[in-house]
Amino acid sequence: MAAGTTLGIFAGGQASRLGGLDKAWLRRDGIAQVERLATRLGDGVAEVLVSANRNHEAYARIGLATVSDRVAGIGPLGGLDALARACSGDWLLTVPVDVVNINDCLLRRLAACGEQGAWAVDDDGPQPLVALWPVARLRPVLAAAIDAGELAVHALQARLGMVPLRLEGVRFGNLNTPQDLANAGIESG
């Protein structure tokens, strides 16, 4: 599985609740979020791509390849489309850059759900962007959804027949508000 898997990190959002801060570069214990995720999950995959719509030079300086939304203004499906088009693997493991807690067994657990792909459900509920996507099936279904203006991630996953993976006792957390940053020990400036 690892040899045919691309890690795609969603870092293309606007972070409007954080005044436009680029969440990829928020630091915890001196390490930027994007670097933390790439290191944590990167050993288990063939390549790492970041869906980003700004600061491409910063990613290049740390050796990360970026892809930009081909279709602007459509939310997470814009990033997913860019990642799916650029990835070389048969599988695409996606995580948002603002995930606080993630462990190394995520890919293995999602892969064990079968060939249809899966998304995570943590103690906070469905986490549709923490997912393992079958790329060959994803590309045409995603293109059709974008063309039809059907932009809900959960609807796309239903069309693909992806299944939820319940992770008991797991809470990924996220970085959407100043309080989230403080709770995670994130340096914002």
Side-chain angles (χ1 to χ4, degrees):
M1 168 70 65
T5 302
T6 296
L7 170 62
I9 301 173
F10 288 105
Q14 297 179 5
S16 55
R17 289 179 279 185
L18 287 174
L21 281 175
D22 191 339
K23 293 180 185 182
W25 303 105
L26 295 173
R27 301 177 84 72
R28 182 169 41 149
D29 299 326
I31 302 169
Q33 275 295 109
V34 71
E35 288 180 283
R36 180 178 299 282
L37 290 172
T39 300
R40 185 71 179 197
L41 299 171
D43 286 340
V45 299
E47 67 180 337
V48 177
L49 298 173
V50 180
S51 165
N53 294 311
R54 57 183 166 165
N55 298 327
H56 296 277
E57 304 80 22
Y59 294 101
R61 280 195 296 275
I62 62 169
L64 291 175
T66 58
V67 294
S68 295
D69 292 1
R70 181 181 57 91
V71 181
I74 62 170
L77 287 195
L80 184 59
D81 174 62
L83 292 167
R85 287 172 175 271
C87 76
S88 61
D90 294 329
W91 292 93
L92 175 61
L93 172 65
T94 59
V95 294
V97 77
D98 66 351
V99 167
V100 178
N101 301 304
I102 200 115
N103 68 34
D104 326 18
C105 70
L106 179 66
L107 174 58
R108 179 180 49 77
R109 299 272 313 268
L110 289 167
C113 291
E115 293 183 10
Q116 72 280 2
W119 78 91
V121 179
D122 71 0
D123 285 350
D124 289 330
Q127 303 295 331
L129 298 180
V130 177
L132 183 61
W133 307 83
V135 175
R137 289 183 30 243
L138 171 62
R139 287 176 176 148
V141 174
L142 176 57
I146 291 171
D147 289 346
E150 298 168 356
L151 305 179
V153 175
H154 68 276
L156 175 66
Q157 290 171 326
R159 282 192 288 281
L160 288 166
M162 294 173 70
V163 297
L165 168 63
R166 179 67 175 106
L167 299 168
E168 295 289 338
V170 173
R171 183 177 180 273
F172 295 126
N174 58 40
L175 303 171
N176 288 324
T177 67
Q179 188 59 52
D180 293 338
L181 298 183
N183 291 344
I186 298 286
E187 305 157 25
S188 62

